[in-house]
Amino acid sequence: MIVMMVTFIPLLISPDVAPVPGQNYSMVTEFILVGFSNFPRHLLPTFFLLYLLMYLFTLLGNLLIMTTVWSERSLHTPMYLFLCALSTSEILFTIAVTPRMLVDMLFTHRTITWTACASQMFFSFTFGFTHSFLLMIMGYDRYVAICHPLRYNVLMSNRGCARLVSWSWAGGSIMGMMVTLIVFHLTFCGSNVIHHFVCHVLSLLKLACGKETSSVTLGVILVCVSALMGCLFLIVLSYVFIVAAILRIPSAEGRHKTFSTCVSHLTVVIVHYGFASIIYLKPKGPHSMDSNTLMATTYTVFTPFLSPIIFSLRNKELKNAIKKSLQRKFSPLSS
Protein backbone atom coordinates (compact mmCIF):
# COMPACT_ATOMS: atom_id res chain seq x y z
CA MET A 1 0.00 0.00 0.00
CA ILE A 2 2.84 2.41 0.83
CA VAL A 3 4.53 1.64 -2.51
CA MET A 4 1.28 2.43 -4.36
CA MET A 5 0.94 5.74 -2.50
CA VAL A 6 4.51 6.75 -3.33
CA THR A 7 3.86 5.92 -6.99
CA PHE A 8 0.96 8.36 -7.07
CA ILE A 9 2.65 11.21 -5.13
CA PRO A 10 4.44 12.74 -8.16
CA LEU A 11 1.18 12.52 -10.13
CA LEU A 12 -1.01 14.06 -7.45
CA ILE A 13 1.32 16.89 -6.45
CA SER A 14 2.99 18.13 -9.60
CA PRO A 15 5.05 21.31 -9.27
CA ASP A 16 3.57 22.64 -12.49
CA VAL A 17 0.80 24.49 -10.70
CA ALA A 18 -0.75 27.42 -12.51
CA PRO A 19 0.34 30.68 -10.90
CA VAL A 20 -2.14 33.19 -9.57
CA PRO A 21 -3.13 35.69 -12.29
CA GLY A 22 -1.56 39.10 -11.99
CA GLN A 23 1.46 37.91 -10.00
CA ASN A 24 4.91 37.22 -11.40
CA TYR A 25 6.09 34.04 -9.66
CA SER A 26 9.35 32.20 -10.20
CA MET A 27 8.26 28.62 -9.61
CA VAL A 28 10.45 26.40 -7.42
CA THR A 29 11.43 23.01 -8.86
CA GLU A 30 14.16 22.11 -6.35
CA PHE A 31 15.17 23.06 -2.83
CA ILE A 32 18.45 23.70 -1.02
CA LEU A 33 18.87 22.06 2.39
CA VAL A 34 20.97 24.32 4.63
CA GLY A 35 21.52 21.59 7.24
CA PHE A 36 25.01 21.73 8.72
CA SER A 37 26.44 24.10 6.09
CA ASN A 38 26.77 26.92 8.64
CA PHE A 39 28.84 24.80 11.02
CA PRO A 40 32.66 25.14 11.05
CA ARG A 41 34.11 22.81 8.43
CA HIS A 42 36.53 21.20 10.88
CA LEU A 43 33.60 20.00 13.05
CA LEU A 44 31.71 18.26 10.23
CA PRO A 45 33.87 15.07 10.18
CA THR A 46 33.22 14.67 13.92
CA PHE A 47 29.47 15.12 13.50
CA PHE A 48 29.47 12.81 10.49
CA LEU A 49 31.26 10.02 12.36
CA LEU A 50 29.05 10.45 15.44
CA TYR A 51 25.78 10.36 13.50
CA LEU A 52 27.00 7.55 11.25
CA LEU A 53 27.78 5.38 14.28
CA MET A 54 24.41 6.18 15.84
CA TYR A 55 22.69 5.41 12.52
CA LEU A 56 24.43 2.04 12.17
CA PHE A 57 23.77 1.16 15.81
CA THR A 58 20.08 2.01 15.35
CA LEU A 59 19.84 -0.32 12.36
CA LEU A 60 21.82 -3.14 13.99
CA GLY A 61 20.07 -2.79 17.36
CA ASN A 62 16.59 -2.96 15.88
CA LEU A 63 17.56 -5.82 13.53
CA LEU A 64 18.96 -7.71 16.54
CA ILE A 65 15.69 -7.25 18.41
CA MET A 66 13.66 -8.43 15.40
CA THR A 67 15.80 -11.52 14.74
CA THR A 68 15.83 -12.44 18.44
CA VAL A 69 12.04 -12.20 18.72
CA TRP A 70 11.49 -14.30 15.61
CA SER A 71 14.08 -16.93 16.58
CA GLU A 72 13.00 -17.35 20.23
CA ARG A 73 9.64 -19.12 20.52
CA SER A 74 9.23 -17.87 24.09
CA LEU A 75 8.96 -14.33 22.70
CA HIS A 76 6.14 -15.13 20.27
CA THR A 77 3.67 -13.05 22.24
CA PRO A 78 1.64 -9.94 21.31
CA MET A 79 3.97 -7.59 23.20
CA TYR A 80 6.99 -8.69 21.19
CA LEU A 81 5.04 -8.75 17.93
CA PHE A 82 4.30 -5.06 18.53
CA LEU A 83 7.97 -4.52 19.42
CA CYS A 84 9.02 -6.03 16.06
CA ALA A 85 6.61 -3.71 14.25
CA LEU A 86 8.00 -0.77 16.26
CA SER A 87 11.58 -1.72 15.35
CA THR A 88 10.58 -1.92 11.68
CA SER A 89 9.06 1.56 11.77
CA GLU A 90 12.20 2.95 13.46
CA ILE A 91 14.49 1.38 10.86
CA LEU A 92 12.42 2.78 7.99
CA PHE A 93 12.13 6.24 9.60
CA THR A 94 15.89 6.35 10.13
CA ILE A 95 16.55 5.27 6.53
CA ALA A 96 14.19 7.98 5.27
CA VAL A 97 15.98 10.79 7.11
CA THR A 98 19.55 10.04 8.19
CA PRO A 99 21.38 8.94 5.00
CA ARG A 100 20.48 12.18 3.23
CA MET A 101 21.72 14.18 6.22
CA LEU A 102 25.02 12.27 6.26
CA VAL A 103 25.59 12.73 2.53
CA ASP A 104 24.98 16.48 2.78
CA MET A 105 27.66 16.72 5.47
CA LEU A 106 30.25 15.49 2.97
CA PHE A 107 29.28 17.52 -0.09
CA THR A 108 28.64 21.19 -0.77
CA HIS A 109 25.91 20.42 -3.33
CA ARG A 110 22.84 20.16 -1.08
CA THR A 111 19.96 20.49 -3.51
CA ILE A 112 16.99 18.13 -3.41
CA THR A 113 14.42 17.84 -6.18
CA TRP A 114 10.80 18.78 -5.65
CA THR A 115 9.65 15.15 -5.98
CA ALA A 116 12.41 13.80 -3.71
CA CYS A 117 11.48 16.36 -1.06
CA ALA A 118 7.81 15.33 -1.23
CA SER A 119 8.76 11.64 -1.02
CA GLN A 120 11.00 12.23 1.99
CA MET A 121 8.23 14.11 3.77
CA PHE A 122 5.75 11.32 3.02
CA PHE A 123 8.06 8.58 4.30
CA SER A 124 9.15 10.47 7.43
CA PHE A 125 5.56 11.31 8.39
CA THR A 126 4.30 7.81 7.57
CA PHE A 127 6.88 6.00 9.67
CA GLY A 128 6.85 8.68 12.39
CA PHE A 129 3.09 8.47 12.91
CA THR A 130 3.16 4.67 12.61
CA HIS A 131 5.71 4.70 15.45
CA SER A 132 3.36 6.80 17.61
CA PHE A 133 0.36 4.58 16.83
CA LEU A 134 2.35 1.46 17.71
CA LEU A 135 3.44 2.99 21.03
CA MET A 136 -0.24 3.63 21.76
CA ILE A 137 -1.14 0.00 20.94
CA MET A 138 1.69 -1.28 23.13
CA GLY A 139 0.24 0.78 25.98
CA TYR A 140 -3.16 -0.83 25.33
CA ASP A 141 -1.49 -4.26 25.34
CA ARG A 142 -0.01 -3.61 28.78
CA TYR A 143 -3.40 -2.33 30.00
CA VAL A 144 -5.17 -5.52 28.89
CA ALA A 145 -2.42 -7.77 30.30
CA ILE A 146 -2.51 -6.16 33.75
CA CYS A 147 -6.12 -5.00 34.14
CA HIS A 148 -7.87 -7.84 32.25
CA PRO A 149 -5.50 -10.83 32.40
CA LEU A 150 -8.26 -13.44 32.04
CA ARG A 151 -9.43 -11.89 28.76
CA TYR A 152 -5.94 -11.24 27.40
CA ASN A 153 -5.81 -14.26 25.06
CA VAL A 154 -9.19 -13.33 23.63
CA LEU A 155 -8.57 -9.59 23.18
CA MET A 156 -4.99 -10.10 22.01
CA SER A 157 -5.42 -13.04 19.65
CA ASN A 158 -3.09 -13.44 16.68
CA ARG A 159 -5.73 -12.07 14.32
CA GLY A 160 -6.50 -9.16 16.65
CA CYS A 161 -2.82 -8.24 17.00
CA ALA A 162 -2.27 -8.41 13.24
CA ARG A 163 -5.30 -6.17 12.77
CA LEU A 164 -3.96 -3.60 15.27
CA VAL A 165 -0.56 -3.53 13.57
CA SER A 166 -2.20 -3.18 10.14
CA TRP A 167 -4.34 -0.29 11.39
CA SER A 168 -1.20 1.43 12.73
CA TRP A 169 0.57 1.18 9.38
CA ALA A 170 -2.56 2.23 7.50
CA GLY A 171 -3.06 5.19 9.84
CA GLY A 172 0.57 6.27 9.46
CA SER A 173 0.31 6.02 5.66
CA ILE A 174 -2.89 8.07 5.60
CA MET A 175 -1.35 10.76 7.82
CA GLY A 176 1.80 10.87 5.67
CA MET A 177 -0.17 11.09 2.44
CA MET A 178 -2.58 13.71 3.80
CA VAL A 179 0.12 16.06 5.14
CA THR A 180 2.26 15.67 2.00
CA LEU A 181 -0.65 16.38 -0.35
CA ILE A 182 -1.75 19.41 1.67
CA VAL A 183 1.74 20.94 1.79
CA PHE A 184 2.79 20.24 -1.78
CA HIS A 185 -0.44 21.51 -3.29
CA LEU A 186 0.74 24.95 -2.22
CA THR A 187 2.67 27.20 -4.59
CA PHE A 188 6.37 27.66 -3.80
CA CYS A 189 7.94 30.78 -5.20
CA GLY A 190 10.92 33.00 -4.49
CA SER A 191 13.37 31.47 -2.03
CA ASN A 192 14.02 27.74 -2.20
CA VAL A 193 16.31 27.53 0.83
CA ILE A 194 15.07 25.15 3.56
CA HIS A 195 16.70 25.93 6.90
CA HIS A 196 16.83 22.31 7.96
CA PHE A 197 18.66 19.08 7.06
CA VAL A 198 15.44 17.39 5.87
CA CYS A 199 12.29 18.57 4.09
CA HIS A 200 10.80 19.71 7.36
CA VAL A 201 7.14 20.63 7.07
CA LEU A 202 7.25 23.92 9.02
CA SER A 203 10.45 25.08 7.29
CA LEU A 204 8.87 24.24 3.95
CA LEU A 205 5.63 26.06 4.70
CA LYS A 206 7.63 29.26 5.24
CA LEU A 207 8.62 29.13 1.57
CA ALA A 208 5.04 28.83 0.29
CA CYS A 209 3.21 31.84 -1.12
CA GLY A 210 -0.45 32.60 -1.54
CA LYS A 211 -3.33 33.64 0.68
CA GLU A 212 -4.09 30.10 1.83
CA THR A 213 -0.60 29.49 3.28
CA SER A 214 -1.43 30.63 6.83
CA SER A 215 -4.63 28.56 6.98
CA VAL A 216 -2.82 25.50 5.59
CA THR A 217 -0.05 25.93 8.16
CA LEU A 218 -2.59 26.09 10.98
CA GLY A 219 -4.43 23.07 9.56
CA VAL A 220 -1.27 20.96 9.31
CA ILE A 221 -0.28 21.85 12.88
CA LEU A 222 -3.75 21.00 14.21
CA VAL A 223 -3.87 17.66 12.38
CA CYS A 224 -0.40 16.60 13.55
CA VAL A 225 -0.82 17.82 17.13
CA SER A 226 -4.28 16.25 17.43
CA ALA A 227 -3.03 12.85 16.25
CA LEU A 228 0.07 12.87 18.48
CA MET A 229 -1.73 14.24 21.54
CA GLY A 230 -4.54 11.73 20.99
CA CYS A 231 -1.99 8.91 21.10
CA LEU A 232 -0.34 10.36 24.19
CA PHE A 233 -3.70 10.82 25.94
CA LEU A 234 -4.65 7.16 25.37
CA ILE A 235 -1.22 6.02 26.58
CA VAL A 236 -1.54 8.11 29.75
CA LEU A 237 -5.09 6.84 30.27
CA SER A 238 -3.85 3.23 29.93
CA TYR A 239 -1.21 3.84 32.58
CA VAL A 240 -3.70 5.46 34.94
CA PHE A 241 -5.66 2.20 34.96
CA ILE A 242 -2.43 0.17 35.10
CA VAL A 243 -1.14 2.05 38.16
CA ALA A 244 -4.53 1.71 39.86
CA ALA A 245 -4.46 -2.06 39.24
CA ILE A 246 -0.86 -2.39 40.45
CA LEU A 247 -1.63 -0.54 43.68
CA ARG A 248 -4.29 -3.14 44.47
CA ILE A 249 -1.69 -5.94 44.43
CA PRO A 250 -0.98 -6.78 48.10
CA SER A 251 2.71 -7.75 47.92
CA ALA A 252 5.52 -5.35 47.09
CA GLU A 253 7.24 -8.06 45.06
CA GLY A 254 4.08 -8.57 42.98
CA ARG A 255 3.77 -4.84 42.35
CA HIS A 256 7.41 -4.59 41.29
CA LYS A 257 7.20 -7.63 39.01
CA THR A 258 4.04 -6.35 37.32
CA PHE A 259 5.33 -2.81 36.81
CA SER A 260 8.64 -4.10 35.45
CA THR A 261 6.78 -5.35 32.34
CA CYS A 262 5.88 -1.72 31.55
CA VAL A 263 9.17 0.05 32.30
CA SER A 264 10.78 -0.26 28.86
CA HIS A 265 7.65 0.89 27.02
CA LEU A 266 7.03 3.77 29.43
CA THR A 267 10.66 4.91 29.13
CA VAL A 268 10.51 4.94 25.32
CA VAL A 269 7.25 6.93 25.44
CA ILE A 270 8.82 9.52 27.74
CA VAL A 271 11.91 9.80 25.50
CA HIS A 272 9.82 9.94 22.30
CA TYR A 273 7.42 12.65 23.46
CA GLY A 274 10.00 14.38 25.65
CA PHE A 275 12.41 15.15 22.81
CA ALA A 276 9.51 16.03 20.49
CA SER A 277 8.25 18.54 23.08
CA ILE A 278 11.70 20.09 23.50
CA ILE A 279 11.90 20.72 19.75
CA TYR A 280 8.37 21.75 18.84
CA LEU A 281 7.13 23.36 22.06
CA LYS A 282 10.24 25.33 22.96
CA PRO A 283 9.56 29.06 23.45
CA LYS A 284 10.50 31.29 20.58
CA GLY A 285 13.64 33.26 21.26
CA PRO A 286 17.03 34.21 19.85
CA HIS A 287 18.01 30.60 19.10
CA SER A 288 20.78 30.29 16.53
CA MET A 289 20.21 28.21 13.41
CA ASP A 290 23.01 25.87 14.51
CA SER A 291 21.40 25.18 17.87
CA ASN A 292 18.05 24.47 16.19
CA THR A 293 19.76 22.01 13.85
CA LEU A 294 21.40 20.15 16.74
CA MET A 295 18.13 20.07 18.67
CA ALA A 296 16.35 18.58 15.65
CA THR A 297 18.83 15.69 15.54
CA THR A 298 17.79 14.65 19.06
CA TYR A 299 14.42 13.54 17.67
CA THR A 300 15.47 12.29 14.23
CA VAL A 301 18.73 10.52 15.19
CA PHE A 302 19.15 10.28 18.97
CA THR A 303 15.64 9.00 19.85
CA PRO A 304 15.77 6.04 17.41
CA PHE A 305 19.29 5.34 18.71
CA LEU A 306 18.07 5.12 22.32
CA SER A 307 15.02 2.96 21.66
CA PRO A 308 16.74 -0.43 21.06
CA ILE A 309 19.07 0.27 24.00
CA ILE A 310 16.11 0.87 26.32
CA PHE A 311 14.18 -2.20 25.18
CA SER A 312 17.20 -4.51 25.32
CA LEU A 313 18.42 -3.31 28.73
CA ARG A 314 15.17 -2.56 30.57
CA ASN A 315 13.29 -5.65 29.38
CA LYS A 316 14.75 -8.60 31.31
CA GLU A 317 13.10 -11.27 29.16
CA LEU A 318 14.35 -9.74 25.92
CA LYS A 319 17.81 -9.13 27.38
CA ASN A 320 18.15 -12.79 28.39
CA ALA A 321 16.89 -13.94 24.99
CA ILE A 322 19.47 -11.74 23.22
CA LYS A 323 22.24 -13.18 25.43
CA LYS A 324 21.12 -16.74 24.64
CA SER A 325 20.93 -15.98 20.93
CA LEU A 326 24.43 -14.44 20.87
CA GLN A 327 25.89 -17.30 22.93
CA ARG A 328 24.49 -19.86 20.49
CA LYS A 329 26.08 -18.03 17.57
CA PHE A 330 29.49 -17.35 19.08
CA SER A 331 30.05 -20.28 21.44
CA PRO A 332 31.16 -22.62 18.61
CA LEU A 333 33.79 -20.06 17.62
CA SER A 334 35.10 -19.69 21.16
CA SER A 335 35.20 -23.44 21.70
Side-chain angles (χ1 to χ4, degrees), residues 5 9 30 55 57 99 103 137 194 246 261 283 293 329:
M5 287 183 175
I9 283 179
E30 65 178 14
Y55 170 65
F57 185 89
V103 169
I137 288 174
I194 300 176
I246 289 175
T261 63
T293 300
K329 291 179 180 178

Side-chain angles (χ1 to χ4, degrees), residues 38-258:
N38 293 324
F39 281 68
R41 297 295 300 175
H42 67 277
L43 291 179
L44 291 185
T46 303
F47 283 119
F48 175 82
L49 182 61
L50 174 64
Y51 291 134
L52 176 62
L53 292 175
M54 293 173 71
Y55 170 65
L56 294 176
F57 185 89
T58 301
L59 297 183
L60 293 175
N62 282 297
L63 286 173
L64 178 61
I65 289 174
M66 293 168 63
T67 54
T68 302
V69 170
W70 287 114
S71 62
E72 294 291 332
R73 294 189 62 84
S74 61
L75 300 181
H76 291 182
T77 62
M79 180 173 69
Y80 293 106
L81 169 66
F82 297 142
L83 180 57
C84 275
L86 190 76
S87 295
T88 303
S89 69
E90 285 198 330
I91 288 174
L92 294 175
F93 175 81
T94 305
I95 291 174
V97 173
T98 310
R100 173 78 203 199
M101 181 190 75
L102 293 174
V103 169
D104 286 345
M105 284 186 184
L106 298 178
F107 301 100
T108 56
H109 185 73
R110 297 183 175 89
T111 59
I112 183 170
T113 64
W114 194 92
T115 304
C117 188
S119 298
Q120 187 187 61
M121 180 178 291
F122 167 74
F123 281 124
S124 61
F125 268 90
T126 295
F127 302 135
F129 275 106
T130 299
H131 188 273
S132 296
F133 294 151
L134 287 169
L135 285 176
M136 177 185 66
I137 288 174
M138 292 176 75
Y140 173 70
D141 171 75
R142 292 298 83 208
Y143 160 74
V144 175
I146 294 173
C147 299
H148 303 282
L150 299 179
R151 300 180 60 196
Y152 183 78
N153 290 332
V154 176
L155 295 175
M156 289 295 173
S157 62
N158 291 336
R159 181 178 296 181
C161 292
R163 191 180 296 120
L164 289 172
V165 172
S166 299
W167 286 348
S168 297
W169 283 99
S173 301
I174 291 170
M175 290 296 297
M177 176 62 75
M178 183 169 58
V179 172
T180 305
L181 288 176
I182 291 173
V183 172
F184 280 88
H185 260 108
L186 294 172
T187 303
F188 295 95
C189 52
S191 176
N192 66 338
V193 178
I194 300 176
H195 293 283
H196 211 281
F197 52 83
V198 294
C199 288
H200 187 257
V201 60
L202 296 180
S203 300
L204 201 58
L205 285 169
K206 294 178 181 178
L207 306 181
C209 48
K211 295 180 180 179
E212 72 278 11
T213 302
S214 58
S215 59
V216 168
T217 302
L218 181 61
V220 168
I221 292 173
L222 287 177
V223 167
C224 295
V225 170
S226 298
L228 293 175
M229 289 298 103
C231 291
L232 180 60
F233 172 76
L234 292 176
I235 292 172
V236 172
L237 187 63
S238 297
Y239 275 101
V240 168
F241 289 111
I242 288 171
V243 171
I246 289 175
L247 292 176
R248 289 196 295 267
I249 298 175
S251 67
E253 183 181 356
R255 290 194 295 269
H256 179 267
K257 186 176 180 180
T258 303

